[in-house]
Structures are given as C-alpha cells and as structure tokens.
C-alpha cells in the first residue's frame, strides 16, 4: 500500500506535535484509541473562553503514518475555528483531504474521535468552573 | 457434519462446496477446540486431498483436489490459532470491528454525546505513557546515551504487559465457554444471547490488540 503525498508530508513534517497543561481550565484533552490496530492518539486544544475559538492545538500519536497524518491535519483544521465549527469536522473530510484508502479510514475516525473527546473534556471543565445559573421556576 | 470432500461410493475428490472452516472439518462452531484432534484430522485430510497423490486422476479431479487442499490449509491455519479462531467466528457472526467503531462515531456526531471508548481510559493512559518511554529510549540510543533507569522501567512494564496478556487470554477462554454453552443449547440460544457473548469476545480482542502491539514495540525497542 502506498501513502499519498499529503500523508507523507504530514508524516515527515507533522504539525503541532507536543502537549499542553492537562490541568489548565482552558485546555481540553482527548485521548483515544483505535482498537483495530492498537494506535493511540492524544489531541489537546486551548480555547479562548470569551470567543470559544480554538487558539492552539497539539497532538501526539503513536501509530501508523495515516494515523499521524490524520491527527496532524486535525490540529491544523481546528485551529482558528470555534468549538462548534470544529465539531462539524467529519472523518470523511479527512479521508478526502489525505486520500486515505479504505483500510485506513479508521485512522480518520480516530482523529474525529480525538477532536470530540478534547472538546468534550473542555466543555466539562467549563461546566465545572462556571456556576450554573439557577433555573427560574 | 463434515462437508463431503470425497464421493461416497467411489472415494474420488469432490469439488469444494462453500462452507465455513468449522464445517469443513465437520465441527460445530465451538471455540474451545481440541487442537490435537484438529491437527490429526488436518493430516488425514491433507494426505487424501494432496494434488500429488491425485496425479493420476483426471484433470478435473486434480483441480478440485488443489482447491480443496488450499481451503484445508486456510481452515487449519485459522482454527488452530486461538485468536484467529475467535476473530473468524466473529466474522461468521457478522461482527465488523471497523464498522462498529465508525457507527459509534457517527452516533456521537448526531447526538452530540461523547463516544464511549471501547478501550478503557486507564489502559489508554498506560499505553500512551509507555509509548513515550519507548520513544525516549529510541532517542537515547540514537544519541548514544544510556539510561539504565529508563531501561529498567521499560523492562518492568514489559513484565506487567506480559502478565496482562496472559490474563486476557484466560478471560477470552471464559467467554469461549459461554459461547460454547450457547452452541450446545442449539436453537434455544437467542440472537440477543449470541450478540451479548460476541460483544464480550470483541471487547477482549480489542484490549489484547493494544497489549500485543505494545509487547511487540517494547521488544523491538529493547533489542535494537
């Protein structure tokens, strides 16, 4: 199986590799795994609380070239998007962009899972830190 | 009943009929399998089906014996291996591992709820941490550095992984027994029961995949 040029580019020059402070309330962390191949992917986002815009994103993936490329692309795409816009990213968008073959679709699924998990983690933190307005009854 | 590999009256090799690997050996789809008996039956059949032994037969018969032999080899290789056997059974049950994960993601997308990760979070954390250590070890080696403490830590992790792997195989065997119980019950076993047990089998195989990859990576990193 041969990788597309875009996959090779992301693999050789992964964007946004690294990590952020997991404990920070601005940071959401998603740690997900693809059971089919045993890959593991960590994706973190830093969100502006005023605007809900994702200002920074980092990832670290242990897995095949397609998994690394999918997560690298995912960090590029979420940066500058609002949380809601980022939630609209679908795995098939990644498949198209990277020309992933059918056997590597699970890598794109993993990347979408990672985005969702990171946003989910961030949302949970916001609920915990901002007092919920009492509902008028 | 075993698929008819030979003609009942003349004993000649018959064309292969599309059957699953269990039926090929005349076995019920049970997972606790007597591997010694399987091997015996493999050698018996492979002698009788071998194309060379049918060299004097007609070309049609030779062709059939070639096809039968290759089916026999595939069936044997799949069934003798505990993991391949389980995966094959799940395939027969129509469980598509990939589809499962994809449809769970689609559901999460539609409902806005978080997808339940198939692999437990603490295992994911452990896998991630160990991978970081392995990367460090590889970097050290590249630079010609030696970090005995790191090496020792990875060695410990390796032992713990191997223990986990063993435990998972034992766990798998308990679900084999559950599955075999359903097969023994015959048509009384409901689809829900089958799905419940096959779900457990999938779960163990998934966790095992993680561990297996890690053990492989740890070995590679320590040897190089």
């Amino acid at each position: 199986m041969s990788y597309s040029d875009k996959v090779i580019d992301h693999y050789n020059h992964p964007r946004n590799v690294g990590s952020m402070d997991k404990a920070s309330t601005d940071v959401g962390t998603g740690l997900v795994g693809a059971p089919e191949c045993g890959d593991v992917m960590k994706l973190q986002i830093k969100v502006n609380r005023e605007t809900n815009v994702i200002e920074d994103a980092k990832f670290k993936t242990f897995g095949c070239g397609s998994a690394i490329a999918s997560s690298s692309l995912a960090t590029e795409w979420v940066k500058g998007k609002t949380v809601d816009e980022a939630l609209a990213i679908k795995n098939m968008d990644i498949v198209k962009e990277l020309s992933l073959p059918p056997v590597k679709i699970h890598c794109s699924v993993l990347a979408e899972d990672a985005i969702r998990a990171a946003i989910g983690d961030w949302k949970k933190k916001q609920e915990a830190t901002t007092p919920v307005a009492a509902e008028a009854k | 009943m075993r698929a008819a590999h030979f003609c009942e009256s003349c004993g000649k090799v018959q064309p292969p009929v599309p059957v699953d690997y269990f039926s090929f050996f005349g076995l019920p789809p049970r997972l606790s399998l007597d591997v010694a008996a399987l091997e015996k039956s493999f050698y018996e059949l492979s002698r009788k089906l071998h194309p060379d032994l049918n060299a004097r037969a007609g070309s049609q018969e030779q062709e059939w014996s070639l096809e039968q032999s290759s089916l026999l080899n595939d069936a044997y290789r799949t069934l003798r291996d505990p993991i391949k056997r389980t995966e094959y059974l799940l395939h027969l049950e129509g469980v598509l591992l990939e589809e499962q994960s994809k449809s769970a993601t689609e559901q999460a997308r539609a409902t806005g709820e978080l997808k339940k990760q198939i692999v437990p979070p603490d295992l994911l954390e452990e896998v991630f941490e160990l991978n970081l250590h392995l990367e460090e070890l590889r970097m050290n080696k590249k630079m010609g550095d030696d970090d005995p403490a790191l090496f020792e830590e990875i060695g410990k992790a390796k032992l713990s992984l191997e223990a986990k792997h063993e435990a998972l195989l034992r766990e798998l065997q308990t679900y084999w027994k559950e599955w075999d119980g359903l097969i023994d019950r015959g048509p009384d076993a409901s689809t829900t029961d089958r799905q419940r047990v096959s779900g457990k089998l999938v779960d163990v195989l998934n966790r095992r995949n993680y561990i297996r990859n890690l053990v492989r990576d740890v070995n590679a990193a320590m040897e190089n």
Side-chain angles (χ1 to χ4, degrees):
Chain A
M1 189 197 62
S2 61
Y3 286 123
S4 73
D5 289 347
K6 279 182 181 161
V7 171
I8 292 169
D9 182 41
H10 275 280
Y11 182 75
N12 287 333
H13 313 282
R15 324 318 190 236
N16 311 309
V17 173
S19 67
M20 293 188 263
D21 179 15
K22 204 176 149 182
S24 162
T25 50
D26 299 338
V27 172
T29 302
L31 182 61
V32 295
E36 301 87 356
C37 52
D39 289 355
V40 55
M41 183 183 288
K42 186 185 205 169
L43 192 146
Q44 293 184 299
I45 51 168
K46 186 169 181 277
V47 186
N48 184 315
R49 211 178 299 179
E50 306 293 316
T51 58
N52 279 0
V53 167
I54 299 172
E55 292 179 331
D56 199 8
K58 296 274 180 216
F59 87 95
K60 181 79 199 167
T61 294
F62 296 104
C64 67
S66 301
I68 290 169
S70 296
S71 41
S72 172
L73 179 67
T75 55
E76 268 192 328
W77 276 358
V78 297
K79 266 208 226 177
K81 284 194 166 73
T82 65
V83 165
D84 287 338
E85 283 165 353
L87 281 174
I89 296 171
K90 293 188 179 74
N91 80 293
M92 286 314 284
D93 303 334
I94 296 171
V95 171
K96 269 187 212 141
E97 176 68 19
L98 296 175
S99 323
L100 294 179
V103 291
K104 291 294 180 183
I105 287 179
H106 65 264
C107 300
S108 68
V109 172
L110 194 59
E112 183 184 335
D113 287 350
I115 297 174
R116 288 179 184 282
I119 293 175
D121 181 52
W122 175 79
K123 279 188 174 164
K124 217 196 269 170
K125 279 182 183 170
Q126 307 318 302
E127 281 161 20
T129 48
T130 45
V132 181
E135 267 179 61
K137 282 199 175 163
Chain B
M1 234 198 54
R2 189 158 95 188
H5 306 303
F6 310 97
C7 171
E8 260 180 50
S9 50
C10 72
K12 282 187 178 172
V13 176
Q14 294 301 293
V17 277
V19 287
D20 66 79
Y21 293 159
F22 291 99
S23 310
F24 190 91
F25 281 103
L27 296 167
R30 296 173 96 254
L31 286 169
S32 315
L33 193 139
D34 182 349
V35 178
L38 180 79
E39 191 185 17
K40 199 167 157 253
S41 140
F42 166 73
Y43 283 121
E44 250 174 48
L45 277 171
S46 107
R47 259 196 312 277
K48 289 188 196 163
L49 287 172
H50 201 284
D52 288 353
L53 294 180
N54 292 294
R56 285 166 59 203
S59 66
Q60 178 66 82
E61 209 184 318
Q62 273 188 43
E63 198 182 301
W64 286 341
S65 83
L66 196 65
E67 283 172 29
Q68 291 266 33
S69 291
S70 106
L71 192 57
L72 172 70
N73 285 327
D74 290 346
Y76 176 59
R77 273 193 217 116
T78 305
L79 292 189
R80 74 170 168 190
D81 181 275
I83 303 301
K84 285 192 188 140
R85 177 161 77 236
T86 312
E87 285 172 343
Y88 179 70
L89 181 99
L90 290 169
H91 158 79
L92 289 181
E93 282 293 292
V95 179
L96 298 169
L97 296 177
E98 191 123 317
E99 279 305 310
Q100 230 176 24
S101 178
K102 216 173 100 202
S103 58
T105 298
E106 275 154 14
Q107 200 187 337
R109 197 190 284 153
T111 59
E113 277 175 23
L114 272 189
K115 174 178 170 179
K116 188 183 163 290
Q117 282 292 309
I118 296 168
V119 183
D122 51 341
L123 180 59
L124 277 176
E125 290 280 357
E126 207 179 321
V127 170
F128 195 83
E129 284 301 311
L130 182 59
N131 270 304
L132 281 177
H133 283 323
L134 287 176
E135 195 175 64
E136 204 182 326
L137 181 72
R138 281 186 218 110
M139 288 294 271
N140 283 349
K141 284 200 170 150
K142 229 183 207 171
M143 312 295 284
D145 288 344
D146 199 16
D147 186 347
L150 181 67
F151 202 79
E152 199 187 316
E153 198 170 332
I154 293 174
K156 268 187 211 152
K158 186 188 157 185
L159 287 180
S160 129
L161 282 176
E162 281 166 351
K164 274 205 176 86
H165 190 251
E166 290 295 312
L168 280 172
L169 284 181
R170 282 194 298 275
E171 197 182 340
L172 188 65
Q173 281 168 355
T174 62
Y175 297 138
W176 281 1
K177 289 204 185 89
E178 272 191 49
W179 173 263
D180 294 347
L182 293 181
I183 294 302
D184 296 344
R185 262 163 63 196
D188 288 352
S190 69
T191 317
T192 338
D193 284 338
R194 289 170 86 110
Q195 279 169 353
R196 180 179 50 82
V197 180
S198 62
K200 287 184 190 170
L201 290 167
V202 169
D203 181 56
V204 179
L205 287 185
N206 280 334
R207 277 181 284 150
R208 186 195 156 270
N209 267 359
Y210 263 82
I211 306 287
R212 184 208 52 201
N213 285 359
L214 270 184
V215 171
R216 187 197 58 204
D217 294 350
V218 169
N219 284 334
M222 291 179 91
E223 276 165 20
N224 282 329

